[in-house]
Amino acid sequence: MMTTELLDVQPRELKFTFELKKQSLCSIQLGNKSDHYVAFKVKTTSPKKYCVRPNAGIIKPKATCDFTVTMQAQRVAPPDLQCKDKFLILSTVIPFGTTEEEITSDMFSKDSGKYIEEKKLRVVLISPPSSPVFVPINGESKQDPCYENSVKKDRVLSGVENIPPPHGVAEDAEGFETYKDMDESRAVKDVEELKPAKDVVELKPANVVEELKPAKDAVALNLTKDFEELKLKLNTVDSKLKEADLTIMKLTEERSMTTREKNMLKHELELLRRKNNVKRIMVGFPLFYVCMVALISLAIGYYIHP
């Protein structure tokens, strides 16, 4: 049995600035006061009305963790801005090395025999701040009494002044305390006090999915555009590669033709060289032949002119 608190919750109330058809955010900080790793899980009586990020997690020893609660846009304002919605923060000690994916609802079951700490938060709605309206009375500017009443009402709802809450709020607080020792799944007294609120159920990721649908659509559109751009770029690169292949083929053919012409020229040059050598050999008369002709000519001349 733990003798010290596991978590320190700040603030102890979820205060939302209520405006019709507008979302409102509230941030809660959880501080681990122990020397152990602590897992937490957030539950609410109105899972369709709120979205929690993250709704479960792990806090290291002496560390802090924040989660944000988003109240969806409401079309109808509750009477006197009184809200009976409640949040429950469950925490328990876990062994070192446990991952967030391993966090399940069974870890926070009291039947497991482990110490489960419960922190209960109530929801407080605050009207948006309004600017003072000055009404001239007898030549003097004074604030509109309606504005003063609204300021007093905001102070009561926000807890600035120590004014006791109305009877309905006190009864709701008592019901919240009695809920602590009752079963989570079904409690007749809790259902009667929290009507039309549902029993405490776990926050489902469907709420997050519904809220993220526009963002997912935008991301999908951007991805489609990027894909189309990449496709066009790939087509352009493909066409350039084809042109480069054709150019390479043409250059290869020209090179082969140039090589053939060079070989043909070499062959023709060799033939010309051979022909020139043959002509050189055949030009002129041999020396013996010339000498014989000269001797014959001398002999003939001698006989003709003795």
Side-chain angles (χ1 to χ4, degrees), residues 204-248:
K204 299 179 179 178
N207 297 329
V208 181
V209 172
E210 291 178 359
E211 184 179 353
L212 293 179
K213 277 184 179 179
K216 285 185 176 180
D217 294 339
V219 172
L221 183 60
N222 292 332
L223 290 175
T224 304
K225 291 181 179 179
D226 294 340
F227 179 75
E228 293 295 334
E229 292 179 358
L230 289 174
K231 191 175 180 180
L232 291 174
K233 290 181 180 179
L234 288 174
N235 291 333
T236 305
V237 172
D238 191 16
S239 62
K240 290 183 178 180
L241 287 174
K242 289 181 179 179
E243 292 178 359
D245 290 338
L246 292 174
T247 305
I248 292 171

Side-chain angles (χ1 to χ4, degrees), residues 7 53 73 103 119 156 238 303:
L7 297 182
R53 296 180 185 172
I103 298 177
K119 297 288 186 178
V156 171
D238 191 16
Y303 284 113

Side-chain angles (χ1 to χ4, degrees), residues 62-85:
K62 305 300 181 181
T64 60
C65 177
D66 296 343
F67 68 87
T68 303
V69 182
T70 304
M71 184 176 69
Q72 305 297 334
Q74 302 297 312
R75 296 182 180 180
V76 181
D80 298 329
L81 293 182
Q82 298 297 322
C83 183
K84 293 185 178 181
D85 298 335

